[in-house]
Amino acid sequence: MQSPLPVRDGVNATRLRLPDEGPWDTAMDYMMHRWGHIDPQGIEDRFDAGEIVGEAGVPLDRTTPLQRHTFIWYYRSLPPETRIPVELNILHQDEHLLVVDKPHFLPTTPGGTYIQESALVRLRNQLRLPDLIPMHRLDRMTAGILLLSTNPETRGKYQVLFEKRQVQKEYECVSAAEPAPGHPAVDFPVVVRNRMTKSRSYLLAEVIEGVPNAETRIERLRTFDAPDDAAPRRALYRLEPHSGKTHQLRVHMASLGLGIVNDAFYPELLDKAPDDYAKPLQLLARGIRFVDPISGSPVEYRSRLELSEAH
C-alpha cells in the first residue's frame, strides 16, 4: 500500500494499522495506548497539526473515530545519530539502476538505532532520489555490491529477476584454511545444502531438519599465513549462494568448521560490544550478474573493495 505522505529527509512515513475494535474510541486514544508513555504531548501536537493522516492523505484530529481508518501514516521523531565513519562509493548510475559499494558496518535500510545512518537514507539525501529502493539487502556487517532501483516505473522488471532467482551473486570471505577440530576435512569445491530458519525474536539463524531451502557452493581460492604467526593459516574463499536466507553464508561456512574471520555470531555468539572498525567481518559481496530486462544484454557489476585480511 502506497503511503500518502512523501519521503522526508530520506525516510518513509511510518504506517500503523488500527485495530478493528477495542476499548479505544478514537485513533488518538489508541496511539496514546501504544506510545503515550513516551511522548503524550507530541502525539497531541501531531493530531492538532494534521500531521497524522489516513487513507488518501486525510488528516486525523483528536476526535477521529478508531473505525474510520484501517491504516494511518505519520513521521517519526528521529533521534540524533552518531555518524558511522565509513563511506559509500557509487559504481554505476543510470535512469533505472544505482550500483554502489556498501561498506562494512552500514545497514542497507533504516531500522532500530540506524535511520539516517543507513545506505538507503544516505543515498536518498545525497542524490536527491526519494524514490530510491534497494533491490536486495546486505547484512550490516557485510560489504560490497548493492543494487538499488531509481525508477518506480521499471522497478518491477528488476524485482522479478530476484524473485525468480535469475540473478547470480558471488561473495568472498576469509576463514581458516582448515576446519576447526571436530569437523571433517573438506574437499573443495563443496556445496552445502540444509534447511534454515530465523525468527524475528532471535538473533541467530538455525539449521533444522527438513527439506533443504538454502544452498551455497564454496570454493577455496588460495591460502596464506595469518597476521599472527601463532594463528592457523587462512584462506580466501569464493561463495556462490543459490538462495538468499538470512546469514546463510555465515552459517554455511561455520557448519564446515570454517567460521568467517571477525564473525561475532557464528560459530559462537559473542557478547555485544561496540563496533570495532579495525576488525570488519571478512565477508564481501564481490559481484552480481544478470540479463538486464530493459536492454536484454548481460551485465555484471564488481566490487572495488578488498577484504582487509585477504593477504
Side-chain angles (χ1 to χ4, degrees):
M1 181 179 293
Q2 186 170 355
S3 171
L5 294 177
V7 170
R8 186 170 76 178
D9 296 328
V11 182
N12 294 85
T14 296
R15 186 181 75 174
L16 174 67
R17 183 186 179 97
L18 298 178
D20 296 328
E21 57 184 17
W24 312 283
D25 294 328
T26 66
M28 192 178 83
D29 289 340
Y30 179 68
M31 289 197 73
M32 285 293 191
H33 165 74
R34 291 285 300 270
W35 295 291
H37 63 289
I38 299 174
D39 185 20
Q41 187 60 54
I43 292 174
E44 292 179 350
D45 291 345
R46 289 182 184 182
F47 274 99
D48 292 343
E51 294 180 353
I52 298 176
V53 305
E55 288 88 346
V58 176
L60 281 63
D61 60 33
R62 296 189 186 206
T63 65
T64 301
L66 179 73
Q67 293 81 10
R68 183 165 296 175
H69 296 275
T70 302
F71 293 99
I72 60 175
W73 288 263
Y74 60 95
Y75 295 112
R76 287 174 288 177
S77 296
L78 302 179
E81 296 179 52
T82 300
R83 184 171 177 83
I84 299 174
V86 294
E87 299 299 331
L88 286 149
N89 292 315
I90 296 174
L91 304 178
H92 171 84
Q93 184 177 357
D94 60 34
E95 60 182 316
H96 306 292
L97 285 181
L98 174 70
V99 185
V100 301
D101 253 339
K102 186 191 82 66
H104 297 284
F105 302 105
L106 191 69
T108 298
T109 56
T113 58
Y114 304 99
I115 306 298
Q116 295 290 333
E117 285 305 288
S118 63
L120 178 60
V121 174
R122 275 198 190 184
L123 290 166
R124 280 177 171 176
N125 290 332
Q126 175 186 338
L127 302 176
R128 298 182 181 179
L129 293 174
D131 290 327
L132 198 64
I133 292 292
M135 292 287 90
H136 60 113
R137 295 192 184 192
L138 295 178
D139 289 343
R140 187 171 80 88
M141 292 301 183
T142 304
I145 288 289
L146 179 65
L147 265 65
L148 303 99
S149 164
T150 60
N151 188 341
E153 295 183 2
T154 59
R155 182 168 299 153
K157 296 181 182 294
Y158 292 95
Q159 289 174 328
V160 167
L161 296 181
F162 286 89
E163 293 168 1
K164 293 186 175 181
R165 297 184 181 177
Q166 294 175 347
V167 175
Q168 289 75 50
K169 300 177 184 178
E170 175 189 341
Y171 290 74
E172 291 176 359
C173 75
V174 175
S175 181
E178 300 296 335
H183 291 265
V186 181
D187 185 17
F188 293 102
V190 65
V191 175
V192 178
R193 296 185 186 91
N194 54 29
R195 185 165 190 85
M196 291 180 55
T197 183
K198 185 180 184 303
S199 70
R200 292 186 177 182
S201 60
Y202 188 55
L203 276 176
L204 303 183
E206 299 178 281
V207 175
I208 60 175
E209 294 294 328
V211 177
N213 62 357
E215 177 179 321
T216 307
R217 182 183 185 276
I218 302 171
E219 178 182 358
R220 187 166 61 195
L221 299 178
R222 57 184 174 85
T223 59
F224 46 88
D225 291 331
D228 180 356
D229 292 338
R233 285 175 61 79
R234 292 179 176 176
L236 179 67
Y237 296 87
R238 177 186 291 127
L239 313 175
E240 297 176 342
H242 298 289
S243 51
K245 298 299 179 182
T246 300
H247 294 177
Q248 174 179 321
L249 302 179
R250 298 161 72 173
V251 170
H252 281 180
M253 288 297 292
S255 73
L256 298 176
L258 297 168
I260 298 173
V261 172
N262 298 334
D263 192 342
F265 281 20
Y266 309 96
E268 295 182 13
L269 179 62
L270 304 182
D271 291 337
K272 175 64 176 175
D275 289 338
D276 185 344
Y277 297 111
K279 294 183 177 180
L281 175 70
Q282 294 298 287
L283 179 61
L284 173 69
R286 172 59 71 194
I288 191 167
R289 63 185 185 274
F290 53 90
V291 175
D292 189 279
I294 306 299
S295 69
S297 301
V299 294
E300 181 173 11
Y301 300 103
R302 306 284 293 178
S303 174
R304 297 174 187 168
L305 300 175
E306 296 295 337
L307 293 170
S308 58
E309 301 199 28
H311 51 74

